[in-house]
Each structure stands twice: as C-alpha cells, then as structure tokens.
Amino acid sequence: MIGFARRTIPAIFVWMLLAVCAMAAPTTELEAVGNCRPDGGRYLPLDAEEQVVFSEGLCPVKLDGLWGYIDTSGLLVIEPSYDAAGPFREDLAEVETGGRRILIDRQGNQVLDVSVWDEAVPADDEMILVRQGKLWGAIDRTGQVVIEPAYDTLELPSSELLCASKDGKYGFINSEGRTVIDFTYDYAESFAENAAYVEQAGKGMLIDYRSVVLAENVYSGLSDGLALTMQDGLWGFVDLTGAVAIPCTFSDAEAPQDGLVRISMEGLWGVADLSGAVVIEPAFDYLWPYEGECALYAEFDEFGIEVEGYGYVNRLGERVTKAKYEQARHFSDGYAAVFDGEKWGYIDESGNTALAHIYDYAADFSDGYAAVAADGVYSLIDHEGKALVIHREGELPDPSVEEESPEQEEPKPARGGLNIGALIVLVITFALIIFIAGVSLIRSVNIRRRRQARRKKEISFPVDDDNP
C-alpha cells in the first residue's frame, strides 16, 4: 500500500502542476474590455458613449469572471480580483469587491473606500468629486470632505474655479467650497481661455473671473479664441473683447476646433479657417470635426432626414471614400472603424481597407490598440490585426497563441481564462484522483478480509503442543 502511494502521489502532483500551468497560460481571449459593450447587439453607433480601452496606460480586462488591469504590453499589472473595474483617472481607478467600492492606485493598493458615496470621480491630484443622492460635493484623498454635497451639478475643475448649480441657478466656487461668483445665472459653463460662457435672461455672455462681462450676444464659450455670435439670422464669430472676428455670413456654424471652423451655406457644410476664409467649399449634407487628416461626413435622403451613408474627406476637401458605409466612427490613431452592413473593419486615412471586415464589434484605436469582438468574445488588436497576448510577469508570450492577421476568413473564437486544454487536464486529474482513491479503498478492504480470514483459520485449527 505504501509503495503504491509512493508511486501514485507524485503523479497526482504532476497532473495538478500541468493543470495550473494550463490555467495560467498567456491568452488573447477576454470576457470584456473596459466599458466596451456592443450597442444594438452588433455594432457601435457613432453617437454611442466613448469606449474606454487604455486610460493612463492601463486597461481593465475581465478574465475568469473577475476584473484586473493590463499595460500596453499585455502584462497583468493588477491581478484579476475585482467584481467590476473602471478606467484610471488622475492615477486612481474605482473597483468593486465584496460589495464595496474602493479607489486603487496603479499598483493595486487601496487608497480610499468610497462605498458611502453614490459616485466618486477623481478631479485632480488632490480632489475627488462625490455624489450623495442627487447632490454633489468633493473630498480629498484621505476622505475628508472639502466641499459639502450641496450642489445639483459640479463640473470638473478647468481653472481655479468650479462651475456649479443649485436651486436652478449657476455660479462658481473655489476648491474650498466658497462662492466666488454668485449663483445668479440661468446657465453656465466652465472657464476656458480665461472666460466663461453664461446665460442670463435669455442672453449669452462671456465673463471673467470677477464676473465682469467681456462680450455679449454670444452663443458659446471661447475655442481657438473665438465665440459664436449671430446677427440677422446669420452666424459668425467674435473674440474675447466682443469684436467681430468673422462676419456673420453663414447660415449655420459650429465652434472652432483644431484651427478650423465648420460652416454651413444653403444647407450644405464646408470648412473655413480662423479668418473666415472658406478652405473647403460647402458640399456635404453634414460634416463632423477633423480627427487627424480626415473628417467624417454624411449623406441624407432626399428629405434630409435619414442618413443614407457615411464617408470621409481629407483636409484638401477630397473625398477619400464615398458615403458607402452603413455605420462609421471617427479616425483615431490613424484608423477608423467602419461597418459595411454585415461586419466591422478598419480603414486608413487614404480610404484603403486596413483590417478586414470580420468583427461583430469594433471600437476606436487608443494607445495602439482597439477592442474588437467576434461571437461575443473580446480581444485587443494592434494596427496589423494581431491580438495582444495577456500574460503575467515571468511568462514569455507564446507566439502560437497570437491570432492571425484579419486576412483570414473568420476570426478564431476566443474565451478568457480557463481554456479547453486546462479543462481537459483538470478532468483527467480529478478522474485519476478518484481512481486512485477507489483502488486504495479496494486494496485496503481486501487486506482486511485476508487478515480476518487468517485469524479465523488460526482459531479453528489450533496447534497441539502435546501431540508430536
């Protein structure tokens, strides 16, 4: 019996070691990535919430039902151990574990338990905005309340003043919660370029930090030094002092972005520079801001209601693609996700297909990677379509587990965490343990029976010492 155990117990440990290795093997297969979720079941609409992948160099991923974080090399820097995980902001991320909501740092250390608050948003390296019920306030990183929850809205700080509202009026407070600009406005936005846009009695204005009016008859805050204004039903722009910078000659216009202004004339959209000179003639039913070298445009039906297709135009006004896509995303990291009616793929800024249409879901590229999904399973791919290998410290990513380029007809199905090999090893291990236990039990029973039989025989036929 002892010899049998000596031979079999090492075998059990070997099988268990193989099982552990199989479960901890590097993988490209994820149950979820960040807040990436297919909207409508198959694709991500243009107006959907931004899908977070990497934030401050780290990405939340779900493996074996738990959340952890990887860096851009695929290394698991924070082990999966949370029920939920959010993106990093100001070096903090909110996670959930055991019914508690806590903020952790980039090493996975607990910084602060925020379960008492309904919402907590790191604002800067000192302040965390918190919500209790319907009211907002702020705490520091030790949990000490610095602004009492007393505001209906409280904007993230963009200057030394925070835009807030209470009882239907807007004003501005400092980081200690003291009112600096009284709550007298019907609407207000955070300070930008040393001015804040406010509305009072139906009129838009720009004010400074002392609430002095800088410009009137405006309809937006400053962007690239310009604010929207309107005269006689036509749109133009004024500067910080209220002086006209671009005359009111457009039937519609949007706030400047990246040194360009989107303008509309006779129902069609084009682009002007910051002096008002038209650089791309109005020729599009609608035009979004430029992202990189291209902007997304749409073509409507004859009634101007339904979008018939999306396409892209470069900074020279050249259409790099026709409006042939049923759904499309903005360019990011040089690629744009496009939907051809069946699957998602990616194009480059020349309009060429960069990654084939093989995905049920595709998010924007960020930090060199994009989240994609096929058959409900997620992975992170690079610009060549290769899946990022998720691994732990000391594990060498195995090239054999990397997915092939999207030129393949169908993406390989993926599952996070416990793979088929690990499952097989575990089943065999448990079967072997049960078999060994059964054999041991049978051997033990047989040994007892033989011993009992031997004793009975000795009792039934005693040796007579007096009989020679």
Side-chain angles (χ1 to χ4, degrees):
M1 178 67 181
I2 295 176
F4 180 74
R6 286 176 176 174
R7 291 192 301 271
T8 55
I9 290 176
I12 295 175
F13 281 110
V14 170
W15 277 104
M16 292 180 68
L17 180 61
L18 289 174
V20 171
C21 291
M23 287 187 289
T27 181
T28 63
E29 307 165 353
L30 299 167
E31 297 168 29
V33 179
N35 70 341
C36 296
R37 305 287 185 275
D39 193 336
R42 296 195 63 193
Y43 53 82
L44 179 67
L46 180 63
D47 58 353
E49 178 186 3
E50 180 184 0
Q51 305 294 275
V52 175
V53 182
F54 283 95
S55 177
E56 298 185 0
L58 297 180
C59 172
V61 295
K62 189 177 184 182
L63 289 166
D64 294 331
L66 295 174
W67 288 85
Y69 292 84
I70 62 171
D71 63 17
T72 53
S73 72
L75 177 66
L76 272 166
V77 295
I78 300 178
E79 280 290 326
S81 59
Y82 304 110
D83 301 319
F88 270 85
R89 181 184 177 89
E90 302 293 341
D91 291 326
L92 295 178
E94 183 178 310
V95 297
E96 293 183 18
T97 179
R100 296 165 54 236
R101 293 170 38 249
I102 61 175
L103 294 177
I104 60 172
D105 62 19
R106 297 173 63 85
Q107 288 72 46
N109 302 314
Q110 178 174 332
V111 176
L112 188 64
D113 189 323
V114 292
S115 301
V116 67
W117 306 103
D118 295 313
E119 195 171 347
V121 182
D124 53 30
D125 58 0
E126 296 181 355
M127 183 185 296
I128 300 169
L129 301 188
V130 292
R131 178 175 61 83
Q132 190 172 56
K134 296 182 178 181
L135 299 179
W136 286 86
I139 60 176
D140 62 21
R141 296 203 173 197
T142 69
Q144 184 71 32
V145 174
V146 293
I147 299 177
E148 289 292 336
Y151 303 97
D152 299 323
T153 62
L154 185 60
E155 300 293 331
L156 291 169
S158 59
S159 64
E160 62 265 29
L161 298 184
L162 288 75
C163 181
S165 70
K166 63 178 181 180
D167 301 328
K169 293 293 184 179
Y170 287 77
F172 294 84
I173 61 177
N174 63 16
S175 59
E176 298 175 351
R178 184 174 62 85
T179 299
V180 177
I181 297 178
D182 290 335
F183 288 77
T184 59
Y185 301 105
D186 301 322
Y187 175 75
E189 296 177 356
S190 296
F191 275 86
E193 301 182 22
N194 297 317
Y197 173 73
V198 298
E199 292 179 2
Q200 194 172 51
K203 296 181 179 180
M205 301 172 287
L206 294 179
I207 62 172
D208 66 12
Y209 292 107
R210 297 172 298 170
S211 73
V212 174
V213 175
L214 303 173
E216 295 181 301
N217 188 33
V218 296
Y219 294 83
S220 73
L222 287 173
S223 177
D224 283 335
L226 301 179
L228 275 166
T229 188
M230 185 173 66
Q231 185 176 4
D232 299 329
L234 296 177
W235 294 87
F237 294 86
V238 296
D239 62 19
L240 179 61
T241 67
V244 175
I246 298 178
C248 296
T249 58
F250 306 114
S251 58
D252 204 348
E254 300 283 357
Q257 184 171 326
D258 195 23
L260 296 175
V261 179
R262 288 173 294 138
I263 49 92
S264 176
M265 300 177 69
E266 298 181 356
L268 296 177
W269 287 82
V271 178
D273 61 22
L274 296 182
S275 70
V278 175
V279 294
I280 295 178
E281 290 295 328
F284 305 94
D285 290 341
Y286 190 73
L287 186 66
W288 281 268
Y290 275 86
E291 301 288 347
E293 294 302 313
C294 293
L296 183 67
Y297 72 88
E299 287 186 358
F300 295 137
D301 60 18
E302 58 180 324
F303 303 105
I305 300 175
E306 297 291 335
V307 175
E308 291 189 331
Y310 296 90
Y312 296 88
V313 56
N314 63 22
R315 290 180 179 267
L316 299 176
E318 301 167 340
R319 301 187 188 214
V320 296
T321 72
K322 296 180 179 179
K324 60 181 180 179
Y325 298 112
E326 189 173 304
Q327 289 286 337
R329 301 286 296 168
H330 296 294
F331 270 91
S332 178
D333 273 5
Y335 279 13
V338 291
F339 183 70
D340 63 4
E342 295 184 1
K343 296 285 186 178
W344 282 86
Y346 291 88
I347 63 172
D348 61 24
E349 291 179 333
S350 297
N352 301 317
T353 298
L355 297 177
H357 292 257
I358 60 174
Y359 305 110
D360 297 323
Y361 168 90
D364 296 338
F365 270 86
S366 171
D367 290 316
Y369 291 95
V372 296
D375 300 324
V377 182
Y378 290 85
S379 60
L380 290 165
I381 60 169
D382 63 15
H383 286 86
E384 296 180 354
K386 294 181 180 179
L388 182 64
V389 179
I390 313 304
H391 62 284
R392 290 174 172 82
E393 189 71 46
E395 293 178 342
L396 294 178
D398 184 355
S400 66
V401 302
E402 289 190 7
E403 293 183 353
E404 297 178 3
S405 173
E407 275 64 34
Q408 61 183 339
E409 292 183 359
E410 293 291 338
K412 294 181 180 179
R415 290 289 183 269
L418 186 64
N419 53 40
I420 298 300
L423 184 60
I424 293 173
V425 172
L426 283 176
V427 170
I428 294 175
T429 300
F430 286 124
L432 182 60
I433 292 173
I434 293 172
F435 172 75
I436 292 172
V439 170
S440 299
L441 180 61
I442 293 172
R443 286 171 63 89
S444 178
V445 170
N446 288 338
I447 289 172
R448 289 196 194 97
R449 286 177 177 175
R450 285 197 295 269
R451 287 176 177 174
Q452 290 173 356
R454 189 179 299 114
R455 289 194 187 98
K456 288 180 180 179
K457 186 175 181 180
E458 291 173 352
I459 294 172
S460 301
F461 303 97
V463 178
D464 188 357
D465 294 335
D466 295 332
N467 190 6

